[in-house]
Amino acid sequence: MSEVSPHAERFSLAGRSALITGASRGLGWEIAKAMAQAGAKVHINGRDGDVLNMRCREMTDAGYEVSPALFDVTDTGAADAWLDAQVELPDILVNNAGLRHRHALEDCPPAAFAHVVEGNLTSAYALARSVAMRLKAVGRSGTIVNITSIAGPRARPGDAAYTAAKGGLEALTRSLAVELAPDGFRCNAIAPGYFATEANAPWVDDAGVKKFVAARIPFKRWGRPDEIAGAAVFLASDAASYINGHVLVIDAGMTINF
Ligand SMILES: NC(=O)c1ccc[n+]([C@@H]2O[C@H](COP(=O)([O-])OP(=O)(O)OC[C@H]3O[C@@H](n4cnc5c(N)ncnc54)[C@H](OP(=O)(O)O)[C@@H]3O)[C@@H](O)[C@H]2O)c1
């Protein structure tokens, strides 16, 4: 007699609680919606309280459990204060907030470099550490998903800070994966390619970028922000229970296109 595993149930996030940073728009917002639809209670992080409240209302009206998490991820004290105020700790952390400044070396002094590293990497480390330490202290574990970039393991002139920060975040993913695994945690990353979010709005209609997209992306189009969400749900869910330290590239095959 064959045993039938409840595979579909393993994709569910019912009973889980997720903190998604930078979730008031773009990829983070899509991830938040998808995680809520998969059954998780979601905490939407960002720096603009009005926008967060508006987003929360949208989701509450649709019947999902959601709350705002108003803090700047680069402010470790504020992030820790938010965590300490939670009755139930999030057991899913998506480090999605990030920033990019494209500058040649001569226009990127160390302070500007450090700012980008702070916003993409140091803040993700601090939050992952804070969440993991609090969960461990009460005998619980969780899953972490870091949003890196295809720009992490490869380079383009005029983008040193972002490349270093996202490459570092990829390395941090592996480091957390092995250090936290004995306590039952998993840590993975998603490396998006070209996604048409607000942050990329100036590039979507650029003639040169259009040519690049047609030539280099096998689907010959930008990704829609919602096309990131399924992977985040999957990596956070029990369906990915043996996946740890992995970087899942979502780029329509752009970076394997020879
Ligand atoms: N879009 C792409 O094609 C692409 C490709 C590769 C990697 N990525 C990465 O994917 C992530 C999301 O990108 P996106 O295009 O969706 O960005 P986006 O449209 O600019 O959205 C960024 C989100 O992060 C929030 N945020 C920014 N700085 C924050 C901070 N210090 N503390 C808390 N929240 C902060 C923003 O809200 P507030 O400003 O209101 O705080 C917003 O909700 C980033 O890490 C980015 O590097 C994106």
Side-chain angles (χ1 to χ4, degrees):
M1 190 155 53
S2 70
E3 192 180 299
V4 180
S5 305
H7 282 297
E9 282 171 25
R10 302 187 69 220
F11 288 87
S12 167
L13 300 182
R16 310 280 302 277
S17 169
L19 169 60
I20 300 110
T21 68
S24 64
R25 61 174 182 268
L27 304 185
W29 169 234
E30 295 300 332
I31 292 169
K33 284 188 290 184
M35 288 194 165
Q37 286 165 18
K41 175 180 180 174
V42 299
H43 304 280
I44 299 185
N45 163 258
R47 296 166 297 181
D48 185 327
D50 292 339
V51 178
L52 289 184
N53 289 335
M54 185 186 76
R55 290 307 202 187
C56 285
R57 268 197 306 278
E58 279 179 57
M59 285 182 68
T60 309
D61 289 350
Y64 300 114
E65 219 182 328
V66 59
S67 69
L70 177 64
F71 60 85
D72 185 324
V73 294
T74 64
D75 182 343
T76 307
D80 285 350
W82 182 85
L83 283 172
D84 288 335
Q86 301 310 302
V87 177
E88 185 200 343
L89 284 166
D91 63 349
I92 297 169
L93 169 64
V94 182
N95 278 314
N96 167 76
L99 78 155
R100 185 174 200 167
H101 293 306
R102 293 177 175 90
H103 291 306
L105 289 187
E106 51 270 35
D107 299 319
C108 186
F113 182 92
H115 178 65
V116 174
V117 171
E118 177 81 24
N120 288 285
L121 174 59
T122 315
S123 55
Y125 170 76
L127 201 49
R129 177 176 180 272
S130 289
V131 169
M133 282 172 55
R134 282 165 176 74
L135 286 169
K136 273 170 69 170
V138 293
R140 295 179 60 204
S141 61
T143 50
I144 299 167
V145 179
N146 293 324
I147 308 300
T148 59
S149 170
I150 55 166
R154 53 188 60 75
R156 173 175 286 174
D159 209 11
Y162 187 76
T163 303
K166 291 300 194 185
L169 188 56
E170 213 184 277
L172 176 67
T173 300
R174 289 187 284 274
S175 181
L176 294 176
V178 295
E179 182 158 348
L180 292 171
D183 293 299
F185 289 79
R186 293 185 297 105
C187 181
N188 293 290
I190 292 172
Y194 277 41
F195 277 81
T197 60
E198 271 179 46
N200 284 329
W203 306 104
V204 173
D205 292 324
D206 181 275
V209 176
K210 275 187 174 166
K211 247 171 97 177
F212 178 89
V213 167
R216 290 292 312 279
I217 301 180
F219 290 174
K220 301 191 183 306
R221 66 168 177 87
W222 287 75
R224 295 188 318 268
D226 65 279
E227 291 179 303
I228 209 82
V233 170
F234 165 62
L235 287 175
S237 77
D238 283 348
S241 56
Y242 205 60
I243 300 177
N244 193 30
H246 185 71
V247 181
L248 179 49
V249 175
I250 304 184
D251 69 349
M254 177 187 145
T255 51
I256 49 93
N257 187 18
F258 184 63

